[in-house]
């Protein structure tokens, strides 16, 4: 379907501080029991004051480079998915480039909400197709807690901070590396009001001295997001598996967006993935938005959940709505 694109290394990083459900009980009117039964989340990592998206991304990137046996000097491109960049300007990808100690490379931020990692991966494949011999850092890094309304119990219990990264090239893959067999990304803007972070954007500008209001933070219609997430991830997985001449039985590990264990289980049920064939990290990280699938992929590799010959199906869903899927084959 596509040329050969190799993921040479995988990395991730989460902040040190852990916020448990018990900690949240002291902040909002909630309970460990409610959060666990509705979401499967037990704890999430949250940034220290002053810790930025690029602070997490640089560690995830260095981990991915080390696993690939590469240095930052090898990079020609940076594709950086986030809806929580360090600043509106400059791009977080430029700051990341500086933190990696390199200059003069292509670097761009991409916002496809929680689906950003797959969008960035696809953009990286496009750059490699245009410029053979390139080496791209694909990273997704979020400080979701900078846009978390700690007074809204319907959203504040769901999210966490973290970063994931991969190194993408068109080199011949080595054992332990993976090739990208196919990728699909999609969007439906008619549903954008269901999941938003509005204020601070040009449609909802802040004025000097004005207090931030609820619309500065993540707002959503939880049950509608839930239904659409299950339907969209289910459909796009069926599409990508079918168009690659595979069956769901051929997939060794399913790595869905880590938003909520009930969503993961519902999509898994539709596609007939259960038990060890499903990667679950939402219990320990919460929803890290664009970083979620990248972190879960890195953990799957480091925990030995994939081996030579494994076929891995990734899928994601987020605000926009945006969604997508990818198939990787491990060498
Ligand atoms: C948010 C979500 C967990 C809520 O679960 P739900 O079963 O739909 O729950 P409801 O929204 O029906 O709320 C049920 C009750 O729990 C209450 N509630 C909401 N958050 C709560 C919390 N943290 N603790 C305790 N009670 C809570 C609600 O106020 C409501 O109370 P009411 O019946 O008295 O009005 C669920 O809709 C969901 O996961 N949606 C998808 C969210 C998501 O993943 N978004 C990001 C996608 S990228």
């Amino acid at each position: 379907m596509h040329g050969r694109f190799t993921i040479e290394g995988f990395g991730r990083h989460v902040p040190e501080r852990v916020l448990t459900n018990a900690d949240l009980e002291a902040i909002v009117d909630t309970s460990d029991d409610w959060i666990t039964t509705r979401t499967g989340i037990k704890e999430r990592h949250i940034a220290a004051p002053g810790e930025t998206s690029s602070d997490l991304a640089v560690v995830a990137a260095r981990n991915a480079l080390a696993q690939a046996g590469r240095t930052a000097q090898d990079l020609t491109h940076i594709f950086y998915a986030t809806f929580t960049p360090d600043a509106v300007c400059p791009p977080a990808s430029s700051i990341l480039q500086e933190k990696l100690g390199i200059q003069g490379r292509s670097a761009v931020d991409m916002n496809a909400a929680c689906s950003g990692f797959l969008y960035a991966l696809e953009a990286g494949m496009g750059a490699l197709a245009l410029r053979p011999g390139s080496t791209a850092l694909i990273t997704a890094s979020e400080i979701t807690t900078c846009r978390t309304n700690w007074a809204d119990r319907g959203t504040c219990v769901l999210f966490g901070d973290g970063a994931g990264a991969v190194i993408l090239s068109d080199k011949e893959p080595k054992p332990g590396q993976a090739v990208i067999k196919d990728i699909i990304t999609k969007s439906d803007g008619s549903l954008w009001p269901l999941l938003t972070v509005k204020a601070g954007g040009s449609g909802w500008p802040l004025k000097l001295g004005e207090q931030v209001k609820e619309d500065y933070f993540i707002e959503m219609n939880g049950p509608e997001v839930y239904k659409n997430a299950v339907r969209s991830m289910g459909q796009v997985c069926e599409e990508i598996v079918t168009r690659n001449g595979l069956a769901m039985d051929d997939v060794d590990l399913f790595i869905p967006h880590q938003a909520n264990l009930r969503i993961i289980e519902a999509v898994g049920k539709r596609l007939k993935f259960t038990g060890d064939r499903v990667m679950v990290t939402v219990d320990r990280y919460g929803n890290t938005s664009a970083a979620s699938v990248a972190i879960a992929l890195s953990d799957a590799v480091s925990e030995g959940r994939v081996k030579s010959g494994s076929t891995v199906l990734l899928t994601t869903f987020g605000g926009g709505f945006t969604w997508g899927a990818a198939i990787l084959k491990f060498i």
Side-chain angles (χ1 to χ4, degrees):
M1 188 124 327
H2 292 283
R4 175 160 269 198
F5 300 101
T6 299
I7 298 182
E8 296 186 12
F10 306 80
R12 68 114 171 105
H13 181 64
V14 291
E16 211 169 296
R17 186 172 163 206
V18 172
L19 190 73
T20 65
N21 290 349
D23 295 330
L24 279 165
E25 285 175 3
I27 300 173
V28 279
D29 180 14
T30 190
S31 66
D32 174 44
D33 182 55
W34 193 96
I35 301 170
T36 305
T37 52
R38 300 293 176 120
T39 73
I41 300 166
K42 297 300 286 183
E43 59 186 35
R44 67 289 288 145
H45 291 249
I46 68 164
E51 198 169 23
T52 67
S53 172
S54 68
D55 288 336
L56 302 187
V58 71
V59 183
R62 286 196 187 115
N63 291 340
L65 284 164
Q67 198 177 83
R70 301 277 220 150
T71 70
Q73 290 299 330
D74 297 332
L75 298 174
T76 55
H77 295 75
I78 296 174
F79 292 94
Y80 186 146
T82 186
F83 82 97
T84 54
D86 300 23
V88 173
C89 185
S93 49
S94 296
I95 299 174
L96 174 61
Q97 190 174 165
E98 166 67 12
K99 286 180 178 170
L100 285 167
I102 53 176
Q103 287 171 339
R105 323 300 160 98
S106 175
V108 66
D109 288 13
M110 303 182 68
N111 179 358
C114 296
S115 303
F117 178 68
L118 289 190
Y119 272 78
L121 197 58
E122 187 175 46
M125 291 162 69
L128 261 63
L130 190 64
R131 302 260 179 267
S134 298
T135 304
L137 166 65
I138 315 296
T139 188
S141 180
E142 303 279 21
I143 307 286
T144 65
T145 54
C146 76
R147 291 290 187 151
T148 297
N149 178 354
W150 296 107
D152 176 9
R153 66 179 183 171
T155 55
C156 76
V157 302
L158 303 177
F159 293 92
D161 301 332
V166 298
I167 307 302
L168 186 70
S169 79
D170 54 6
K171 286 197 182 326
E172 199 60 33
K174 296 180 188 150
Q177 300 183 342
V179 291
I180 302 172
K181 303 294 285 183
D182 199 4
I183 191 160
I184 297 176
T185 52
K186 298 192 186 228
S187 174
D188 179 354
S190 69
L191 301 172
W192 74 261
L194 297 174
L195 178 49
T196 58
V197 184
K198 294 196 287 257
S202 59
W204 292 267
L206 297 174
K207 295 180 190 66
L208 190 63
E210 200 175 72
Q211 275 199 328
V212 296
K213 304 197 177 61
E214 282 77 5
D215 64 0
Y216 182 78
F217 303 101
I218 299 166
E219 296 182 298
M220 72 177 167
N221 178 330
E224 281 303 316
V225 172
Y226 185 106
K227 274 189 277 180
N228 280 280
V230 174
R231 184 167 52 236
S232 299
M233 286 195 283
Q235 278 171 357
V236 76
C237 286
E238 284 161 358
E239 181 181 340
I240 200 168
V241 164
T242 305
R243 88 175 188 185
N244 282 275
L246 298 171
M248 291 302 165
D249 280 350
D250 297 320
V251 173
D252 299 291
L253 187 65
F254 178 52
I255 307 184
H257 176 46
Q258 304 288 315
N260 177 318
L261 186 60
R262 287 194 302 158
I263 294 178
I264 294 170
E265 286 173 348
V267 182
K269 190 172 168 207
R270 170 173 170 159
L271 302 176
K272 302 197 168 42
F273 293 124
T274 52
D276 279 357
R277 285 173 77 209
V278 184
M279 188 72 193
V280 175
T281 60
V282 71
D283 52 330
R284 51 191 198 265
Y285 304 130
N287 180 353
T288 56
S289 187
S292 105
V293 158
I295 292 173
L297 179 60
S298 175
D299 279 358
V301 172
S302 61
E303 291 169 12
R305 299 283 297 270
V306 291
K307 55 183 193 314
S308 175
S310 290
T311 296
V312 174
L313 175 61
L314 307 173
T315 187
T316 191
F317 180 86
F321 289 139
T322 54
W323 64 101
I327 296 176
L328 309 185
K329 182 91 179 167
F330 278 77
I331 305 304

